[in-house]
């Protein structure tokens, strides 16, 4: 899914990233491989969304992954994402 809509619904995961970012590609591949539905915000296509990601994380690093419980990860490892998805009973 690709969307510039950054609104969170109760079961939405939003990932802010860019195609040139190796960690972003890895995180997308992990979410896709696990069959997790998410909204991808492409910071190259929507540069203003970088400000939103920075407001959420307090940092300029990407990816920023925002979970349905309003928590987030910045540059998460695959293990970080898997643990959070298990905590939320999404996998």
């Amino acid at each position: 899914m690709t969307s510039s809509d950054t609104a969170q619904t109760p079961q939405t995961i939003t990932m802010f990233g860019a195609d040139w970012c190796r960690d972003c590609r890895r995180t997308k591949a992990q979410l896709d491989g696990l069959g997790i539905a998410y909204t991808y915000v492409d910071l190259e296509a929507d540069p203003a969304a970088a400000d939103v990601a920075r407001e959420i994380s307090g940092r300029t690093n990407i990816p920023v992954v925002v979970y349905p419980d309003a928590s987030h990860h910045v540059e998460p490892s695959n293990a970080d994402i898997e643990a959070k998805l298990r905590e939320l009973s999404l996998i």
Side-chain angles (χ1 to χ4, degrees), residues 65-87:
V65 181
V66 183
Y67 299 97
D69 66 357
S71 67
H72 69 275
H73 276 131
V74 181
E75 291 185 308
S77 69
N78 285 2
D80 290 337
I81 290 173
E82 184 175 337
K84 186 62 182 184
L85 295 175
R86 288 189 190 287
E87 177 189 319

Side-chain angles (χ1 to χ4, degrees), residues 31-79:
L31 293 171
D32 291 342
L34 291 170
I36 300 297
Y38 63 96
T39 300
Y40 179 72
V41 180
D42 184 342
L43 300 179
E44 289 181 291
D46 186 1
D51 292 333
V52 176
R54 191 170 26 260
E55 285 175 23
I56 292 167
S57 69
R59 299 167 55 187
T60 58
N61 306 62
I62 55 174
V64 175
V65 181
V66 183
Y67 299 97
D69 66 357
S71 67
H72 69 275
H73 276 131
V74 181
E75 291 185 308
S77 69
N78 285 2

